[in-house]
Amino acid sequence: MIEPHAPAPPGAPPPWRGNGGPGPGAQAWLPVRPGLGRFLVLAGVFVCAACGLVYELELVALASYLIGDSVTQASVVLSVMVFAMGIGSLGAKRLRPRAALGFGLIEAALALVGGCSALALYAAFAWTGDWGGMWASGSRYLLVAFSLAIGLLIGAEVPLLMELIQRIRRQDAGGAVADLFAADYVGALVGGLAFPFLLLPWLGQLTGALLTGTVNVLVGGALVLGLFHRDLTRRARWLLLVTNLAVLGLLATAAVQVDDFERAARRAMYGKDVRVAWQTGRQEVVLTGGRDGRPFSLYLDGRLRINGNDEQRYHRALVHPAMTAGPHARVLVLGGGDGLAAREVLRHDGVRRVDIVEIDPGVVRLARTDPALSALNGHAHDDDRVRVHTEDSFAWLRGARPTEPYDVVISDLPDPGITASTKLYSQELYGLAREVLAVDGRMVVHAGPVASRRRVFWTVDATVRAAGLRTTPYRVTAADPGFVTGPDRTAHTSSAPHDWGFVLATRPSPYDGRRPAPALGAEVMRLSAADGLRDLPPSTLVHPRYAG
């Protein structure tokens, strides 16, 4: 018998080439030393974990963009996915006797499902989003289905990887779990940082997901076929090789066609007259029409923001009641980078300065350079009295030190139900706006539709009052229902009357009882306390109340 420390006889296999079969606990035959083999498996864990987190973040981001309400979408995706990971981990125990083959096929399936999930969600929304009926929430159902499928596959990875690591070199379970989870968590960190800082800005959601799937299938296939190929039968090796090549072919074909697909999806959503589709770094901006007599439209992240047929009705109702109720030499516009609110402000005599605070410089650039949009806003950005500050409205107000207070503050911001906008409709923001408002100044707030989202509208009114301002709520009916949208991109399918709601606010004064009510204009309907909801709490930064 040869002692463990004695030299092996000539022709004997190296000690790292085990003779075990594919069953659990058997030592694997490796083409490399056990230390290197273990490192390669942990590297594979690192890459697969990064890919898995990218799939999660991609689903959250795309669902927030397509469906709205990022808090709800993130909660749905993460909770369903974590639940499914537990189920997948339990189900993977049956695959332990064929851990190498099982892991290779699971990675191929994960690459295909995760890589194509963004394409499938976008396609369902673009071509079936307006079907209504049972499919009115089809995109949400598909989101849950993808979260479930991806979670099941990610959950099945861990038990199989644990088996493969132990087959290289047996060690105590605690040490193996620590090594596995360390590589998994570090990979998740890299994937979590790569998505917002590399994949999303440089490749976009569709191409980024396809590239992630490609990396996933290459690493999973290389790990099994390169390191554990002796654990596979000839038939299993061919099955895994053909499956991986098929997945790579599908992902590559989709990547080649992704630009054509995206253009077709935009035409399905916005019509055939898309002139500009631009990812500015903050949002997707799409311009349609505006030439040859076709109506101009502007979409921000898929939500209709401007309709050339009806925008004047909206902006007149937003601007003129506040402007005509008193002095208006100095005006602050929060949002409104499109220049349309500024156009209405500049119609009034006596305006000396207009400050526009717009977070997205891309919108301001289009408002200045796009022929249709600049003609629609009357070239307001070329007026010497207009100054643009490209900054978040909340941050700008927090640091604002104006030499003189503003006579009028106009809040022309996205719908309050959009999660990213909740702080712009908070009691804290209205308190900051009050500080820059003149004693006899006015603030007007676009508060979303009244008829279809009554509670949200009256919550805005309650929040403005909680900031110490006296309010006059009013509404105007839209002539074109397509212009009225809420936080959900499919909100136009609502059967409720289409309107816009506004809140005109002033500082309290001992003379309030003797002052005449502000003139709102013929198109506008004043709302009284009897029309509203009583005793609504205000929305704050730590307790936003605009969901639903």
Side-chain angles (χ1 to χ4, degrees):
M1 185 176 76
I2 301 175
E3 297 295 332
H5 59 274
W16 62 85
R17 297 188 174 182
N19 296 314
Q27 185 179 0
W29 187 99
L30 298 178
V32 297
R33 293 181 179 276
L36 179 58
R38 189 176 185 80
F39 171 80
L40 292 175
V41 171
L42 292 175
V45 173
F46 170 88
V47 174
C48 292
C51 293
L53 195 66
V54 168
Y55 299 143
E56 294 181 30
L57 296 175
E58 167 258 315
L59 284 178
V60 170
L62 191 61
S64 301
Y65 166 56
L66 295 179
I67 303 171
D69 190 0
S70 59
V71 171
T72 299
Q73 309 316 322
S75 300
V76 168
V77 170
L78 297 179
S79 58
V80 170
M81 196 167 285
V82 170
F83 164 77
M85 287 168 64
I87 303 300
S89 183
L90 287 173
K93 290 194 296 184
R94 293 179 175 273
L95 299 176
R96 286 182 63 213
R98 296 179 176 272
L101 177 61
F103 178 75
L105 292 176
I106 283 172
E107 291 308 296
L110 180 59
L112 182 62
V113 174
C116 295
S117 58
L119 281 170
L121 274 174
Y122 197 33
F125 185 86
W127 279 282
T128 70
D130 57 352
W131 281 8
M134 293 183 63
W135 191 249
S137 299
S139 297
R140 291 181 174 89
Y141 302 148
L142 202 57
L143 173 68
V144 172
F146 273 113
S147 301
L148 190 64
I150 293 173
L152 286 169
L153 294 169
I154 291 176
E157 290 177 329
V158 175
L160 300 181
L161 285 166
M162 182 72 174
E163 178 67 25
L164 293 178
I165 286 180
Q166 291 288 62
R167 294 199 59 206
I168 294 174
R169 185 175 62 200
R170 304 299 297 180
Q171 68 176 114
D172 65 283
V177 169
D179 292 344
L180 185 66
F181 282 174
D184 186 81
Y185 294 152
V186 175
L189 170 66
V190 172
L193 295 177
F195 179 74
F197 296 115
L198 293 176
L199 295 176
L200 196 57
W202 289 98
L203 298 176
Q205 298 197 48
L206 303 183
T207 305
L210 292 169
L211 178 63
T212 303
T214 302
V215 173
N216 200 165
V217 72
L218 285 174
V219 171
L223 184 65
V224 174
L225 292 173
L227 202 59
F228 296 97
H229 63 274
R230 285 294 185 96
D231 282 6
L232 305 174
T233 64
R234 181 181 177 86
R235 182 178 179 182
R237 285 197 295 269
W238 276 106
L239 172 64
L240 193 56
L241 181 61
V242 170
T243 301
N244 278 266
L245 290 176
V247 171
L248 280 172
L250 288 171
L251 294 174
T253 302
V256 170
Q257 300 293 329
V258 71
D259 290 337
D260 293 336
F261 168 84
E262 197 168 354
R263 282 192 290 269
R266 285 200 184 102
R267 286 196 298 270
M269 288 190 294
Y270 305 121
K272 297 181 179 180
D273 197 22
V274 176
R275 292 192 296 107
V276 176
W278 182 25
Q279 190 71 41
T280 65
R282 289 200 170 270
Q283 57 195 343
E284 183 189 53
V285 180
V286 175
L287 304 182
T288 67
R291 58 187 179 187
D292 300 328
R294 291 189 287 272
F296 173 86
S297 296
L298 181 148
Y299 296 83
L300 299 180
D301 273 350
R303 300 176 181 91
L304 183 60
R305 181 65 177 160
I306 297 170
N307 184 326
N309 288 335
D310 218 16
E311 64 81 16
Q312 291 195 20
R313 189 177 181 87
Y314 166 84
H315 286 101
R316 284 198 302 265
L318 172 69
V319 172
H320 294 308
M323 293 292 290
T324 56
H328 47 255
R330 291 173 54 82
V331 179
L332 172 64
V333 180
L334 303 178
D338 51 54
L340 298 172
R343 176 200 66 197
E344 296 300 319
V345 168
L346 295 172
R347 294 185 191 277
H348 293 262
D349 296 332
V351 175
R352 291 191 289 109
R353 174 163 177 154
V354 181
D355 284 310
I356 299 175
V357 182
E358 168 61 53
I359 194 171
D360 191 348
V363 173
V364 177
R365 178 181 170 185
L366 284 173
R368 285 176 170 151
T369 60
D370 182 76
L373 183 53
S374 60
L376 194 63
N377 65 35
H379 303 280
H381 285 291
D382 296 334
D383 194 296
D384 292 338
R385 294 170 290 177
V386 175
R387 292 171 176 81
V388 177
H389 310 269
T390 52
E391 193 173 350
D392 173 72
S393 294
F394 193 101
W396 189 89
L397 283 171
R398 196 173 185 181
R401 299 292 184 270
T403 55
E404 300 178 58
Y406 291 98
D407 300 304
V408 179
V409 175
I410 298 170
S411 177
D412 185 20
L413 295 164
D415 190 278
I418 302 171
T419 305
S421 300
T422 52
K423 75 172 182 179
L424 304 178
Y425 287 84
S426 66
Q427 181 180 340
E428 290 85 349
L429 180 129
Y430 297 136
L432 293 172
R434 184 185 183 208
E435 294 302 309
V436 301
L437 195 62
V439 174
D440 58 347
R442 286 83 58 211
M443 178 175 71
V444 62
V445 177
H446 161 237
V450 181
S452 60
R453 305 183 70 236
R454 187 163 172 253
R455 186 176 185 87
V456 169
F457 173 82
W458 288 105
T459 298
V460 175
D461 179 78
T463 303
V464 174
R465 284 188 283 107
L469 297 168
R470 179 174 175 265
T471 63
T472 302
Y474 63 97
R475 60 176 285 213
V476 61
T477 304
D480 186 343
F483 187 19
V484 180
T485 57
D488 192 320
R489 290 180 55 168
T490 60
H492 66 277
T493 60
S494 169
S495 60
H498 296 281
D499 61 7
W500 299 287
F502 306 93
V503 176
L504 179 61
T506 57
R507 287 177 175 272
S509 166
Y511 304 103
D512 282 342
R514 289 176 252 170
R515 285 180 176 174
L520 299 179
E523 297 178 338
V524 172
M525 179 186 299
R526 189 187 306 269
L527 300 174
S528 65
D531 300 313
L533 301 175
R534 299 175 182 273
D535 302 322
L536 290 176
S539 182
T540 65
L541 290 177
V542 295
H543 197 163
R545 300 180 185 272
Y546 294 120

